[in-house]
């Protein structure tokens, strides 16, 4: 999929509406495809996340009711498809772990788990309730495609769109500062979400200042992928801690849990080093001042006076 950017020749409302309509339609198209259901569900959920990143970017100009309604729709709609995606992500994580694990007991155990989870996933996609849920989600995307223009029409104001990017940056920086005080998986997860928003938003804003936003988009993408792998390890670790306790040979599987914990911690340290280097370029006040200065130079055509 080729992801669109903001157009400097269009007002904020037209850009925002175009991007959300684009990803809403893509989400609908993915769910309508008959082959490769697991990947299509994943892509539909990613479309919802990109829409929410657009909403976060435009939040300073949205009234709270409009923002809450549209953001809540895409959050909840993606959540309705999360069971299949969670199983797929866990299967992919375990598969990669098997390739890198030399402990025979661990490999035997994990291969057994892969078969069980794969069977569970296939059973879910064949039951009537799941198919009904998927069809219901498709219909919701189709309805939203028709209603978005009206829902988003009243919100346009003549303000700096980069304030939305600065807001996301400062939220991400706050999580990073907390992690520098205390490493915590939940805070890392919250940081990951904001970094992913930054990645998507920087990509959208590339036409504003290509030399800067192309770099920011690339670096946030790199950091997001590291944090994504860390999150996969956290989910896998939590799953193992629950399920190993029920195993008769739980003692022999403890090395697996230790190895997983080491890999998770290694990814966490790598994410922190990468993040601290990236966010040291600007503090919260620095990025705010930078975006305010940039808006006055670049955005008159993008944000025409609507009075």
């Amino acid at each position: 999929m080729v992801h669109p950017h903001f157009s400097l020749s269009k007002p904020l409302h037209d850009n925002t509406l175009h991007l959300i309509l684009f990803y809403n339609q893509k989400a609908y198209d993915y769910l309508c495809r008959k082959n490769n259901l697991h990947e299509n569900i994943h892509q539909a959920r990613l479309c919802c996340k990109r829409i929410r990143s657009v909403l976060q970017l435009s939040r300073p100009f949205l009234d709270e009711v409009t923002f809450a309604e549209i953001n809540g729709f895409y959050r909840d709609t993606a959540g309705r498809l999360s069971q299949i995606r969670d199983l797929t992500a866990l299967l992919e994580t375990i598969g990669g772990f098997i390739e890198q694990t030399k402990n025979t007991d661990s490999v035997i155990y994990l291969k057994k788990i892969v078969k069980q989870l794969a069977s569970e996933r296939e059973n879910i996609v064949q039951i009537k309730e799941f198919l009904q849920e998927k069809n219901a989600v498709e219909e919701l995307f189709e309805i939203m495609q028709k209603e978005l223009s009206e829902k988003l029409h009243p919100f346009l104001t003549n303000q700096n769109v980069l304030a939305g990017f600065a807001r996301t940056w400062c939220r991400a920086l706050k999580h990073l500062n907390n992690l520098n005080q205390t490493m915590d998986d939940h805070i890392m997860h919250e940081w990951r979400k904001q970094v992913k928003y930054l990645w998507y938003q920087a990509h959208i804003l590339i036409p504003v200042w290509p030399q800067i936003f192309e770099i920011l988009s690339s670096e946030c993408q790199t950091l997001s992928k590291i944090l994504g792998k860390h999150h996969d390890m956290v989910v896998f670790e939590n799953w193992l801690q629950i399920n190993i306790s029920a195993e008769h040979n739980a003692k022999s599987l403890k090395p697996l849990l230790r190895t997983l914990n080491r890999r998770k911690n290694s990814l966490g340290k790598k994410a922190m080093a990468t993040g601290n280097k990236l966010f040291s370029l600007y503090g919260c006040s620095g990025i705010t001042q930078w975006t305010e200065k940039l808006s006055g130079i670049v955005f008159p055509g993008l944000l025409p006076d609507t009075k």
Side-chain angles (χ1 to χ4, degrees):
M1 183 196 309
V2 178
H3 299 287
H5 305 287
F6 262 5
S7 169
L8 294 178
S9 63
K10 296 179 181 179
L12 173 61
H13 172 270
D14 291 352
N15 274 288
T16 301
L17 181 59
H18 169 72
L19 288 166
I20 295 179
L21 284 172
F22 174 86
Y23 286 116
N24 187 89
Q25 183 64 51
K26 286 294 183 181
Y28 174 78
D29 292 343
Y30 275 118
L31 290 182
C32 289
R33 294 179 183 178
K34 303 301 181 184
N35 61 322
N36 202 359
L37 176 62
H38 309 134
E39 178 60 22
N40 290 333
I41 286 176
H42 176 48
Q43 292 300 324
R45 282 168 50 80
L46 286 180
C47 286
C48 289
K49 291 178 181 178
R50 285 189 177 269
I51 288 172
R52 294 181 68 197
S53 75
V54 176
L55 288 169
Q56 292 287 347
L57 189 62
S58 302
R59 186 168 187 173
F61 327 118
L62 286 166
D63 66 85
E64 285 302 313
V65 174
T66 301
F67 174 83
E69 179 185 355
I70 301 177
N71 184 64
F73 169 81
Y74 288 106
R75 179 196 62 223
D76 296 342
T77 303
R80 294 173 70 169
L81 301 171
S82 62
Q83 185 178 15
I84 290 297
R85 177 53 199 163
D86 291 346
L87 281 171
T88 300
L90 186 57
L91 280 166
E92 292 172 351
T93 302
I94 295 175
F97 209 84
I98 289 174
E99 294 178 359
Q100 302 174 28
T101 300
K102 298 180 181 179
N103 184 283
T104 304
D105 289 336
S106 298
V107 170
I108 293 172
Y109 173 73
L110 292 176
K111 285 184 175 180
K112 180 182 71 172
I113 294 303
V114 165
K115 290 182 179 179
Q116 293 176 356
L117 291 176
S119 177
E120 179 183 346
R121 185 178 63 176
E122 291 309 308
N123 289 336
I124 290 173
V125 300
Q126 293 177 26
I127 63 175
K128 181 180 179 180
E129 288 76 11
F130 171 79
L131 295 175
Q132 289 175 337
E133 185 77 346
K134 175 179 170 293
N135 291 336
V137 170
E138 287 179 21
E139 292 177 6
L140 286 172
F141 282 127
E142 190 173 22
I143 292 170
M144 184 60 81
Q145 192 76 7
K146 299 174 182 178
E147 295 182 351
L148 275 168
S149 295
E150 182 178 349
K151 289 179 181 294
L152 288 171
H153 178 70
F155 79 81
L156 181 61
T157 60
N158 187 23
Q159 298 186 46
N160 172 14
V161 69
L162 292 178
F165 181 82
R167 182 178 184 275
T168 308
W169 180 280
C170 292
R171 292 179 69 176
L173 180 58
K174 180 180 178 180
H175 290 308
L176 175 58
N177 289 336
N178 289 337
L179 286 166
N180 281 322
Q181 299 297 319
T182 304
M183 287 291 288
D184 178 85
D185 290 341
H186 175 71
I187 299 176
M188 190 77 76
H189 174 55
E190 293 301 315
W191 183 39
R192 178 181 73 93
K193 291 192 290 187
Q194 297 304 318
V195 169
K196 184 166 286 189
Y197 283 147
L198 285 173
W199 166 22
Y200 295 159
Q201 291 173 0
H203 174 84
I204 291 169
L205 293 169
I206 283 175
V208 174
W209 194 357
Q211 300 93 321
I212 294 296
F213 281 110
E214 282 183 357
I215 293 173
L216 283 176
S217 176
S218 177
E219 292 187 348
C220 288
Q221 179 182 16
T222 298
L223 177 56
S224 177
K225 289 184 175 181
I226 298 170
L227 289 167
K229 291 178 181 179
H230 178 273
H231 178 66
D232 290 341
M233 291 293 113
V234 172
V235 172
F236 186 20
E237 181 182 46
N238 291 340
W239 187 91
L240 275 177
Q241 287 175 335
I242 294 172
N243 289 275
I244 282 181
S245 61
E247 292 289 322
H248 295 300
N249 59 340
K251 186 176 181 179
S252 65
L253 296 174
K254 292 298 182 181
L256 171 62
L257 200 54
R258 288 196 294 270
T259 300
L260 176 56
N261 186 260
R262 284 197 298 270
R263 292 187 186 178
K264 183 194 75 171
N265 290 338
S266 176
L267 285 166
K269 291 177 181 178
K270 184 177 181 181
M272 292 295 293
T274 304
N276 279 315
K277 181 179 179 180
L278 171 61
F279 283 86
S280 66
L281 294 173
Y282 306 98
C284 188
S285 59
I287 197 77
T288 301
Q289 293 172 4
W290 172 69
T291 54
E292 286 175 351
K293 182 181 295 186
L294 182 61
S295 69
I297 300 172
V298 179
F299 274 86
L302 179 60
L303 298 175
D305 193 344
T306 58
K307 294 182 179 179

